[in-house]
Every structure is written in structure tokens, then in C-alpha cells.
Amino acid sequence: MNNFLFPYLLIMLHFLSGAFFLILINRKLDSNRSREQWIKFISYVILFNLIWNSKIYSDIAFMMMAHLVMILCSLEWWKAIQKSWNRFWLAAGFILVLAGFWRFLYLPDKEILFTVFIVILFDGSSQIAGQLFGKIPLLPGISPSKTLEGLIGGITVTLGTALLLRNSFLLEWAELILMSMLVILFAFMGDLLASYVKRKAGLVTFSRMLPGHGGFLDRFDSHIMAGGAVFLVSLAKEIIG
């Protein structure tokens, strides 16, 4: 477990720097919006610690939380696609992705924790970079808040930090970079897909169950998609041998 202490400390250091940048960002916002930002930030720190430490110290607790998240995300997705003409395909696609994520939960600890690390770091750093420097909308019709600067900043910070993790996760350099890029790509795709469905359903968030975030799917869309992708890569490696 000592191998995973360094990644944990790195994430907490990024959260600390994120708090500093959030102070700068909130100076330009009204009090209500600033309070929402802090609620979201604090709840994210709590969620990360619950996920990370339960996986290390109590696999039963981790699996219980993960399955609860899967159930709640499924309910939110089904509610969101009710009025869609292609809800059958959206439901079927979600079931396939969720099946991949479910299998991901049974991979070795290092693969699960690596994925969690990259998703959380990419998500947090891209949001901070977007709020600080974002000017060019990326896909305004799907996710108005996403900017090119946010995406570039998120990728740069995540890859730069990931290069420090070779010994912690026992990865070769090429595998470290490729797996980091894979997780980033599918995390981003999961976020975009969820945003697309919300816009089509006329929703701002999937629900209001998580303070500052909205629904469980608003928070875990990237984790589910990236986890499913990591499982497929693991399966392919096993088949190829």
C-alpha cells in the first residue's frame, strides 16, 4: 500500500493548489456562485478520499459504494432519456458501458487507482484552467462551459503529473503515457456524452443528490466511461498474451 501513498499525496497537493486558484476565481464571482464553487470543491475532496481510502483499506466498502453509484447513475440516465426518440439505443449503450465499468471494478488495485487518479486530476485541472484562461468555446452546443484552453490545460497538467507515477504503478514509460491518454480521452468522451443527453433532455443536472455537482452521473460519468475503456484494454492484453 505504500506504493500508493505518493499518488495520494500528489492528488492532495493538487487539491491544495486548486483551492488557491479557486480563491482567485471566486474574486470575480458573486457570493452565491462563490459558495457553490466551494461546496463543489469540498465535496469533491471528500468523495476522492472516500473512493481512494476505501479501495486501499476496505475493498468491501469500495465495492458497496461503487455498486450504489452504478444503481443511482442508471436511474438518473433512464429518467433523462425517457423523452428521447432513440431511448432504446441510449439505454442499451449505457448498459454496455456500465457492464465494462462493472468488470473494471474487479481489476487489480493499481489499475483502478491509476484510473481514478487520472480522471480526477484531469477533471479538476481542466476546470481550473478553463475558469482561469478559457476563451475559446470547445463545443458550445453540447457543453457551453468547456473551452479549448481548459482542455489543453487539463491534458498538460495530467500528463506532466502522470510522469511522476511510473514507480508507484509499475508502468513502463510508453504504457504510462498511452494509458494516461486513453483514460483522458474516454473521461472526456463520457463527460461530453452525458452533457449531450442533458441538453437533449432539457436538464441542467441529472439530479440534485450531490451538493455542488448535481447528480451522481454528473460526477461519475467520466469515471464510468474511462473505467470501461481500461477494462477493455486489460481484456485485450489478456487475450493477446
Side-chain angles (χ1 to χ4, degrees), residues 20 50 70 79 84 96 113 118 122 125 128 150 178 181 206:
F20 169 75
L50 283 173
M70 289 172 61
K79 182 179 179 181
S84 175
L96 287 174
L113 292 174
I118 296 298
F122 173 68
S125 57
I128 291 293
L178 288 174
M181 287 302 300
F206 282 102

Side-chain angles (χ1 to χ4, degrees), residues 27-238:
R27 291 170 64 184
K28 301 178 181 180
L29 304 177
D30 61 59
S31 58
N32 288 333
R33 181 59 181 147
S34 176
R35 183 169 60 252
E36 289 175 2
Q37 294 261 76
W38 280 114
I39 291 173
K40 182 177 182 179
F41 175 81
I42 293 169
S43 63
Y44 204 10
V45 175
I46 294 171
L47 280 172
F48 163 71
N49 277 278
L50 283 173
I51 294 168
W52 191 274
N53 290 302
S54 66
K55 183 57 190 167
I56 290 178
Y57 298 109
S58 176
D59 203 51
I60 294 176
F62 173 80
M63 294 301 284
M64 288 177 63
M65 285 193 298
H67 283 80
L68 177 61
V69 167
M70 289 172 61
I71 292 170
L72 294 173
C73 286
S74 299
L75 293 174
E76 290 177 353
W77 184 265
W78 178 247
K79 182 179 179 181
I81 65 174
Q82 282 301 295
K83 296 180 181 180
S84 175
W85 65 270
N86 58 348
R87 61 181 179 274
F88 172 80
W89 296 109
L90 287 172
F94 185 79
I95 289 171
L96 287 174
V97 172
L98 205 62
F101 178 73
W102 176 72
R103 288 294 293 116
F104 161 78
L105 297 175
Y106 293 90
L107 292 179
D109 287 359
K110 71 170 188 174
E111 296 184 43
I112 294 174
L113 292 174
F114 177 79
T115 305
V116 169
F117 182 96
I118 296 298
V119 171
I120 288 182
L121 185 56
F122 173 68
D123 182 67
S125 57
S126 58
Q127 284 189 37
I128 291 293
Q131 289 183 296
L132 284 174
F133 309 111
K135 294 184 181 299
I136 304 173
L138 200 57
L139 293 166
I142 297 177
S143 184
S145 63
K146 286 184 174 53
T147 63
L148 179 61
E149 294 85 355
L151 177 62
I152 293 173
I155 293 173
T156 302
V157 171
T158 304
L159 284 181
T161 307
L163 293 176
L164 303 174
L165 301 177
R166 180 171 173 267
N167 292 329
S168 297
F169 294 105
L170 305 177
L171 296 171
E172 298 297 330
W173 289 114
E175 186 179 10
L176 177 66
I177 295 172
L178 288 174
M179 287 303 297
S180 297
M181 287 302 300
L182 176 86
V183 173
I184 288 171
L185 173 63
F186 279 89
F188 186 66
M189 287 174 57
D191 195 10
L192 284 183
L193 179 59
S195 295
Y196 173 78
V197 170
K198 280 190 294 186
R199 296 297 170 264
K200 288 295 183 181
L203 300 173
V204 177
T205 60
F206 282 102
S207 73
R208 296 182 180 179
M209 297 182 70
L210 278 177
H213 299 276
F216 278 82
L217 198 50
D218 292 289
R219 180 67 282 149
F220 292 102
D221 49 7
S222 297
H223 290 269
I224 291 173
M225 184 69 87
V230 170
F231 163 68
L232 289 179
V233 170
S234 177
L235 181 62
K237 287 165 63 176
E238 185 178 333

